[in-house]
Every structure is written in C-alpha cells, then in structure tokens.
Amino acid sequence: MAQQKPSEDRRKRDPKQTPEPFTAKRGKAKEPIFVVQRHDARRLHYDFRLERNGALASWAVPKGVPLEPGEQHLAVHVEDHPLDYATFAGEIPAGNYGAGTVEIWDSGTYDLVEEKRNGGLTVRLHGERLNGLWTLIPARLGGNEKNWLLIRKRDEDGGAPPGPRRTYAPMLATLAEAIPHDDGWLFEIKWDGYRIVTRMAGGDPEMRTRKGQDYGERFSG
Ligand code: MN
C-alpha cells in the first residue's frame, strides 16, 4: 500500500476552521488500534481506520462494515489521518472538507493476521461491536485503485464463538391522551397490518413478527 504524504490530509483541512485533531502523538499501547467513525457528511459513510506506520490508514465505507461472513462492501481508500483523529467525534463546520457530524461507531485494537504483497490486509478486530476477521482487498473496482473491498471473514481457527444474536423488537404504537407538540416529532397514521423485523444475513432475508413467527414464506417473491 503506497504511503500517502500527510500533506494531503493537511491540505484539505484547516485547523482554524474545524475542531478535528491534527497532531500525531500518542501513548504507548502495545496493540495497534482501529476505529470506525460514522460520518454523516454530504453522503453518509463509515470511515474505517487502522493504525499503520504511525498514522491511520483509512477507507470510506458507504454501506458500513459488513457484519455477516462472506459479505463484502466497497471501501474507498482515502488519505492517511493522524493517530489523534481516532478519538475525534463532533461537528466539522460547514464549508470544510467532510463537513457534517462524526461519531465513533466502534473502536478497539487489532491483530494483523496477514499482509499481502499487493497491500491486502487481514485483521482480527477487538472492538465493542466488531470482533473477528476482516480482509481488505485492493480490488480496483471499476479500474479505480482507490476502490477496495472490505470483507467479513468466517472465523476458522476456533476463535471466540459468535456472540448471541442481537434481537430487535418492532416499534409499537402507544395509546396517549394528547400528541406532543415539541419540535422533532413526526406523525403517521397507524395502519392495520403486520409489524415485522427483517434481518438480512448474507443476502438471505429472515422476517419475524413481534411474536417470533417466521413470515418469510408468506412474503416471499
Ligand atoms: Mn469521512
């Protein structure tokens, strides 16, 4: 992977105009760190960053980090960021590069499992949300060398078993005497019908009602 000059990041961002960090100092942790920042900019994306050679190698992932084994998402290789950027969350003011809101979606440490000669990386992430193996491949999608793939790998070497599946319940209407009038509310008519949560796993949707019934067949095709 070609190292990019720090000046590219620096050229795009003006420290007088944005609260984002610019320095590169850090303490001595043994493991390299990773961070995923949810960046609600002109287009929502997730910035996937790995500590590499004293900086944060970075990819913008429009669809977010793939969570199901075998799933792969476009990851656009962008300029390195300084290490301190890993803890940044907040507003990038309008008019600046990447203007919008940055939240830390996950962070932690990682082990470098494999580094290919073409720059491809396999890492084992140890985060709050992300635990397991991911591979970054310089796939040059559409002939563009910035267009990499981020792939969720299956854990094959008896690593930690996958945790219990997260479960979600559908939102339900609540009977009330009056409607709230503050800002930030939207109203919609409660139609009769099914409330179903759909889970997509490796291209395979699963549809469950709030009582856990499988409605996949009923609504297939
Ligand atoms: Mn970004």
Side-chain angles (χ1 to χ4, degrees):
M1 172 174 36
Q3 281 301 303
Q4 287 167 324
K5 294 184 201 74
S7 60
E8 187 179 347
D9 166 63
R10 193 63 178 68
R11 188 167 49 73
K12 288 182 178 170
R13 300 191 290 124
D14 179 351
K16 293 195 194 73
Q17 302 293 327
T18 169
E20 299 160 277
F22 285 85
T23 56
K25 59 182 184 298
R26 67 166 297 207
K28 289 196 199 80
K30 275 154 268 147
E31 309 290 334
I33 59 161
F34 83 91
V35 65
V36 179
Q37 282 153 320
R38 183 182 186 277
H39 188 177
D40 198 354
R42 195 158 42 93
R43 293 174 79 170
L44 174 67
H45 60 274
Y46 292 76
D47 289 302
F48 183 83
R49 309 189 197 277
L50 298 174
E51 178 181 356
R52 302 271 294 156
N53 309 314
L56 293 170
S58 300
W59 292 261
V61 187
K63 291 187 173 172
V65 179
L67 300 177
E68 299 294 335
E71 231 183 330
Q72 50 185 44
H73 289 171
L74 170 69
V76 181
H77 193 206
V78 298
E79 67 277 8
D80 287 358
H81 275 52
L83 281 180
D84 281 4
Y85 207 91
T87 54
F88 175 72
E91 286 290 328
I92 302 173
N96 289 279
Y97 176 63
T101 313
V102 176
E103 290 166 33
I104 295 180
W105 187 81
D106 198 15
S107 65
T109 60
Y110 77 92
D111 307 316
L112 182 61
V113 176
E114 190 184 9
E115 179 169 9
K116 292 234 159 106
R117 288 183 58 186
N118 67 2
L121 299 171
T122 296
V123 292
R124 180 180 299 282
L125 302 181
H126 308 283
E128 296 282 320
R129 297 180 192 241
L130 302 177
N131 266 292
L133 287 177
W134 278 264
T135 292
L136 280 154
I137 297 177
R140 307 178 66 99
L141 297 180
N144 185 339
E145 65 172 24
K146 291 187 171 178
N147 291 341
W148 292 45
L149 279 173
L150 177 58
I151 303 175
R152 176 70 213 261
K153 305 290 277 190
R154 215 170 289 278
D155 263 291
E156 281 153 351
D157 59 357
R165 246 201 213 181
R166 243 174 241 235
T167 56
Y168 298 92
M171 285 173 74
L172 297 175
T174 308
L175 201 59
E177 295 288 315
I179 58 171
H181 290 285
D182 333 359
D183 285 347
W185 289 88
L186 286 173
F187 299 97
E188 58 184 44
I189 294 166
K190 180 193 177 298
W191 300 104
D192 204 10
Y194 301 98
R195 289 198 176 237
I196 282 176
V197 173
T198 301
R199 182 177 184 277
M200 196 68 153
D204 226 0
E206 181 189 280
M207 305 179 83
R208 298 237 172 232
T209 65
R210 68 195 185 95
K211 292 195 171 142
Q213 285 166 6
D214 184 352
Y215 269 42
E217 280 298 314
R218 182 177 301 216
F219 293 116
S220 68

